[in-house]
Amino acid sequence: MPNFPELRLRRLRKNEALRSLVRENHVDVGDLIYPIFVVEGKGIKKEIELMPGVFHFSVDKLKAEIEDLTRLHVPAVILFGVVNEKDEVGSGAYHPKGVIQQAIRAIKKNAPDMLVVTDVCLCEYTSHGHCGVICDGYVDNDKTLPLLAKMALSHVIAGADIVAPSDMMDGRVKAIRDALDIHGFDTTPILAYSAKYASAFYGPFREAAGSIPQFGDRKSYQMDPPNAREAMREIEQDIREGADIVMVKPALSYLDVIRLARDKFDYPLAAYNVSGEYAMVKAAAKMGWVDEKRVIFEILGSIKRAGADIIITYHAKQVAEWLSLVK
Ligand code: PBG
């Protein structure tokens, strides 16, 4: 093995062409999923205060946005619904004419090649803001499962390409897989939010989606942030139940968990670069404290380097624009 002065690692960093040749990881637009918030009503495209550059769209305003994303070669969107009427059991989540079911139909009609992923979780639709049904003040796991299955099925009937359960109930992947298979949707993949932590980084999202829990917190179902081994058990459980893609969420404080999952499981791995992570970058950039573009590529690059194949990120559209300018 040579050593200095024969060995000089700086030789391969001399210019951009050399650096490009030996670059180990790349942020590719084809790996990105762009989150979209859909609201009830008409003619609405309104910027979300805590997430500059991200908007609330009514269904009729989605067409232009999806056209932009198609032009930019963003392959997929993930949809979140924001509703006015809520109840104890989140009925709006699985109504055949719910806001998400309408959005899916509209997108698939205008842009059949755009992959539509849907978030399967009750929190945006329940009056109490929890991800499942409440019994005696506790989120009841088994009573929630049929509702999640019903919700996922309604998305797939409307035309969703992938369903993504984010509720963290035990057994939800199996419940959804069974419901889809019984109804002939055995070719629809499940992207499971497998290792989803009870994170403070979801703050801006909950404001945007109106899904702040009205009492307590999500710690009895989402994971405890200091745990990593438990994340492997969550992923293993979801794989056993039939998940096709597994996910770690959030991304940045959990890069070690992404790496562990990459090394342990030969399954496609997604990471969710969440709202709080996005908001911090936007705030610092607005203050002029960081170079926004470089910071974003560094962040997304770190998620790829940790081992994620797929990144869900609010930066996707902007990144796609930057990448299209380079070409
Ligand atoms: C629904 C859901 C949440 C996020 C994605 N799906 C919020 C939560 O669990 O409270 C967070 C996404 C983000 O912060 O960007 N359960």
Side-chain angles (χ1 to χ4, degrees), residues 39-76:
V39 297
E40 294 171 329
K42 278 208 166 70
I44 301 166
K45 180 181 175 183
K46 188 167 181 286
E47 193 165 27
I48 296 166
E49 199 185 334
L50 304 183
M51 302 172 71
V54 179
F55 296 81
H56 279 142
F57 289 96
S58 53
V59 172
D60 58 316
K61 287 282 192 180
L62 284 174
K63 191 166 179 255
E65 182 72 359
I66 298 292
E67 278 168 8
D68 280 358
L69 294 168
T70 303
R71 180 176 50 77
L72 291 165
H73 303 291
V74 174

Side-chain angles (χ1 to χ4, degrees), residues 35 37 51 78 80 119-124 129-131 164-168 193 196-206 209 211-213 218 221-222 247 249-250 272-278 312 314:
F37 293 92
M51 302 172 71
I78 181 164
F80 298 97
D119 187 80
V120 176
C121 186
L122 298 181
C123 65
E124 292 131 59
H130 278 287
C131 303
S166 71
D167 53 284
M168 289 300 279
Y193 285 70
K196 177 173 177 179
Y197 288 87
S199 170
F201 286 102
Y202 308 151
F205 174 98
R206 289 185 191 169
S211 64
I212 302 168
R218 303 211 201 291
Y221 42 105
Q222 298 181 347
M247 181 150 71
K249 175 190 176 189
Y272 200 137
N273 176 212
V274 300
S275 58
E277 298 171 341
Y278 176 85
I312 303 182
Y314 303 95

